[in-house]
């Protein structure tokens, strides 16, 4: 029994349409669970929840404890798949206002843009606080995090001295190659490995995500447990009973009907960065060879007052996938006001969560009536297990969906194009 389930009841797709994909699904399933070397090149994430390096996992917990004991702030330096997963999980489970009571150490992010204003704001925010750095880059050569690391390394050395600074720098990178690995070896930094066969956007359940998540005070055992539940639940090749495979198929059926934008909608601001992670996962995996559903996101009801009009009545090329958090223990009740000048007394005794749910139900109905196919993903509650399950669900769905589409969901050749142009303009040697 897992903590998530998918409701396809608002779609008008006949079962026989879905079943047309049975053979294709079986082939993809066999590929994902196969053992050839080509398959092994990309597929380290498939069995990761049940087959990970336990020694490294324990080391992550030890180091996380050490960082929590000596740092008010952990600066996570990384971009794309090297930071979005951690941020998605941390913000979903801790919230938007620092770290609350969960941890003494706040996780902040650098190296995910080239804005000097952002960096100066961040440096000012850190001020005199004790901090450590976790620099994360699989290639070890990405410009944005490399620049940020140079800056924070110098800050650490100034504040703590060269030797003490080394004890506050944690590197997550390839086992052998890349400039970052070289630097880590030379300086003797504590390092964590991003396995060769796990790409950036599939790496949240490796040290890439786990170290920052553990520093934030979250339970990474539970996170892995949730992912393991999903690994077991969705290892079934039967298309009709495997909600993950069915979601991948349904996306492709709708894509063929010219639905080429999928909006991930949530009614919980804490899921904002989860949607950012999801967009990268699907965008980088499927957007190639002139194909792919464009992944977008909205946070509702906030965006009903900005994007709601388009979703309701704009071009009919949208799919809406809603993340619905079913339960939880945080709620606020509307109280009586004897004057009732705002006319809200009809809501007295009702909780904000109840009102939010009614907004969601009303919105789904309106969007479906307006011609936007709806997929509803119910999440029992917002905790480590549910998020771990959801992460694995989407990783698998993305790999399957991209394979049905006929693209390689594990590479990202298009990302190199801007880099070449930028390096040329910056007169980098060799460009
Ligand atoms: O998913 C991916 O592979 C990318 O988004 C990378 O994570 C991103 O480009 C950062 O790369 P690196 O970890 O090599 O610095």
């Amino acid at each position: 029994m897992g903590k998530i389930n998918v409701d396809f009841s608002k779609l008008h797709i006949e079962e026989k349409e879905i079943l047309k994909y049975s053979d294709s699904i079986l082939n993809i399933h066999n590929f994902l669970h196969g053992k050839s070397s080509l398959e092994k090149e990309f597929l380290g994430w498939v069995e990761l929840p049940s087959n990970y390096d336990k020694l490294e996992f324990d080391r992550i917990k030890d180091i996380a404890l050490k960082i929590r004991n000596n740092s008010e702030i952990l600066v996570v330096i990384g971009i794309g798949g090297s930071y979005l997963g951690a941020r998605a999980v941390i913000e979903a489970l801790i919230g938007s206002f620092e770290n609350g009571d969960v941890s003494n150490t706040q996780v902040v992010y650098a190296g995910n843009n080239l804005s000097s204003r952002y960096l100066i704001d961040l440096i000012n925010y850190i001020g005199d606080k004790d901090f450590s750095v976790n620099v994360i880059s699989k290639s070890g050569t990405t410009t944005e995090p490399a620049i940020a690391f140079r800056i924070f390394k110098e800050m650490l050395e100034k504040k703590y001295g060269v030797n003490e600074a080394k004890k506050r720098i944690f590197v997550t990178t390839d086992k052998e190659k890349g400039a970052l690995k070289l630097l880590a070896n030379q300086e003797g930094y504590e390092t964590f490995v991003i396995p060769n066969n796990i790409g950036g956007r599939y790496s949240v359940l490796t040290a890439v995500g786990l170290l920052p998540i553990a520093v934030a005070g979250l339970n990474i055992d539970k996170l892995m447990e949730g992912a393991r539940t999903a690994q077991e639940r969705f290892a079934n090749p039967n298309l009709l009973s495997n909600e993950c495979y069915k979601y991948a198929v349904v996306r492709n059926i709708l894509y063929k009907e010219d639905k080429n934008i999928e909006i991930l909608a949530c009614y919980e601001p804490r899921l904002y960065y989860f949607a950012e992670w999801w967009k990268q996962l699907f965008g980088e995996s499927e957007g190639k060879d002139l194909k792919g559903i464009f992944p977008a996101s909205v946070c509702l009801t906030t965006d009903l007052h900005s994007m709601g009009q388009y979703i309701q009545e704009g071009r009919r090329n949208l799919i809406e996938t809603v993340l619905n958090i079913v339960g939880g223990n945080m709620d606020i009740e509307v109280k009586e006001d004897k004057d009732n000048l705002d006319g809200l007394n009809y809501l007295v005794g009702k909780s904000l969560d109840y009102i939010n749910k009614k907004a969601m139900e009303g919105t789904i109905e309106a969007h479906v009536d307006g011609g936007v196919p709806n997929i509803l993903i119910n999440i029992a509650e917002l905790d480590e297990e549910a998020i771990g399950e959801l992460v694995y669900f989407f990783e698998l769905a993305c790999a399957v969906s991209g394979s049905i589409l006929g693209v390689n969901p594990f590479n990202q050749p298009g990302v190199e194009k801007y880099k070449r142009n930028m390096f040329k303009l910056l007169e980098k040697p060799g460009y």
Side-chain angles (χ1 to χ4, degrees):
M1 260 307 273
K3 287 196 167 186
I4 60 168
N5 70 71
V6 190
D7 179 352
F8 298 98
S9 65
K10 299 275 187 303
L11 290 174
H12 304 292
I13 299 176
E14 287 185 38
E15 198 172 284
K16 67 174 195 253
E17 287 307 309
I18 294 174
L19 285 172
K20 283 183 186 161
Y21 287 80
S22 297
D23 288 348
S24 165
I25 284 292
L26 196 58
N27 288 336
I28 295 165
H29 174 86
N30 289 337
F31 168 73
L32 292 176
H33 293 278
K35 296 276 175 268
S36 80
S37 56
L38 177 72
E39 288 150 8
K40 279 188 182 156
E41 198 181 322
F42 301 114
L43 301 178
W45 56 272
V46 178
E47 289 178 5
L48 184 69
S50 59
N51 184 17
Y52 55 90
D53 183 338
K54 307 280 185 306
L55 286 178
E56 174 152 290
F57 194 82
D58 287 342
R59 194 160 58 90
I60 288 171
K61 290 201 271 190
D62 290 345
I63 294 294
L65 198 61
K66 179 178 153 190
I67 295 171
R68 291 176 63 191
N69 283 333
N70 72 4
S71 305
E72 291 160 88
I73 292 204
L74 174 68
V75 185
V76 169
I77 300 179
I79 194 165
S82 287
Y83 97 103
L84 278 168
R87 191 163 194 178
V89 174
I90 293 169
E91 298 210 1
L93 298 176
I94 288 178
S96 323
F97 305 102
E98 303 190 3
N99 273 9
D101 296 334
V102 182
S103 169
N104 294 326
T105 307
Q106 186 190 5
V107 178
V108 298
Y109 306 89
N112 56 57
N113 59 59
L114 289 169
S115 159
S116 38
R117 284 181 194 85
Y118 178 90
L119 216 51
I120 289 166
D121 286 347
L122 180 56
I123 290 167
N124 287 340
Y125 178 73
I126 293 171
D128 290 340
K129 299 182 187 91
D130 279 315
F131 73 101
S132 296
V133 164
N134 178 201
V135 55
I136 308 171
S137 175
K138 180 162 185 191
S139 62
T141 55
T142 308
T143 312
E144 291 90 336
I147 292 174
F149 182 51
R150 214 181 241 218
I151 292 164
F152 282 99
K153 177 175 178 275
E154 194 195 341
M155 272 173 68
L156 279 170
E157 288 173 351
K158 258 198 193 140
K159 185 173 167 94
Y160 299 102
V162 174
N163 283 337
E164 200 52 34
K166 284 182 187 175
K167 297 181 194 153
R168 288 177 174 269
I169 293 174
F170 303 92
V171 173
T172 308
T173 190
D174 188 86
K175 196 173 175 187
E176 290 157 358
K177 15 177 234 299
L180 190 56
K181 178 66 191 167
L182 205 71
L183 189 67
N185 282 349
Q186 197 175 297
E187 302 283 330
Y189 301 142
E190 176 100 36
T191 56
F192 295 92
V193 174
I194 310 176
N196 271 338
N197 56 0
I198 301 184
R201 58 192 176 275
Y202 292 84
S203 70
V204 51
L205 300 173
T206 70
V208 170
L210 295 177
L211 181 61
I213 291 167
V215 170
L218 296 167
N219 187 329
I220 58 173
D221 287 296
K222 292 267 178 221
L223 189 74
M224 290 305 262
E225 208 176 301
R228 208 156 41 244
T229 303
Q231 186 196 332
E232 284 158 18
R233 276 185 72 193
F234 304 121
N236 158 21
N238 184 325
L239 177 49
L240 288 183
S241 55
N242 187 327
E243 291 174 341
C244 184
Y245 288 179
K246 196 169 163 185
Y247 169 63
V249 165
V250 159
R251 297 177 86 247
N252 276 274
I253 292 174
L254 294 169
Y255 178 63
K256 283 195 177 152
E257 294 170 6
D258 282 338
K259 305 289 185 195
N260 55 15
I261 297 176
E262 181 180 12
I263 303 171
L264 189 74
C266 58
Y267 287 74
E268 170 52 67
R270 279 189 178 198
L271 293 178
Y272 178 87
Y273 267 95
F274 192 87
E276 294 302 305
W277 170 82
W278 176 88
K279 286 195 283 194
Q280 190 221 350
L281 178 65
F282 278 88
E284 241 176 38
S285 300
E286 290 196 318
K288 53 197 70 154
D289 306 336
L290 306 180
K291 297 185 202 171
I293 295 178
F294 183 83
S297 65
V298 287
C299 196
L300 307 178
T301 61
T302 312
D303 292 337
L304 286 175
H305 300 261
S306 59
M307 301 304 290
Q309 171 62 36
Y310 191 109
I311 299 171
Q312 192 62 50
E313 294 182 344
R315 225 187 125 195
R316 299 298 72 191
N317 58 347
L318 309 176
I319 307 165
E320 187 174 47
T321 298
V322 174
L323 297 180
N324 171 36
I325 301 161
V326 179
N329 53 8
M330 287 176 109
D331 213 348
I332 290 178
E333 195 181 288
V334 179
K335 299 260 167 41
E336 188 171 0
D337 182 296
K338 69 175 169 30
D339 298 328
N340 194 29
L341 290 177
D342 53 13
L344 283 183
N345 274 356
Y346 76 102
L347 293 175
V348 169
K350 298 201 165 65
S351 75
L352 203 50
D353 190 54
Y354 174 84
I355 299 166
N356 202 15
K357 290 279 189 304
K358 293 298 145 195
M360 181 189 78
E361 287 165 23
T363 305
I364 290 175
E365 204 181 317
H367 289 175
V368 170
D369 286 350
V372 181
N374 180 278
I375 300 163
L376 183 65
I377 301 184
N378 294 306
I379 304 161
E381 59 192 318
L382 210 45
D383 63 11
E384 284 91 336
E385 279 174 86
I387 290 290
E389 204 178 324
L390 203 57
V391 161
Y392 189 89
F393 171 88
F394 278 127
E395 287 179 351
L396 181 61
C398 180
V400 174
S401 180
S403 302
I404 298 173
L405 191 64
V407 298
N408 177 352
F410 307 114
N411 65 4
Q412 57 283 334
V415 180
E416 296 310 312
K417 181 80 179 144
Y418 98 90
K419 291 185 189 167
R420 275 197 298 276
N421 290 349
M422 177 178 80
F423 291 149
K424 214 165 145 191
L425 292 167
L426 289 169
E427 299 174 37
K428 182 175 176 175
Y431 284 85

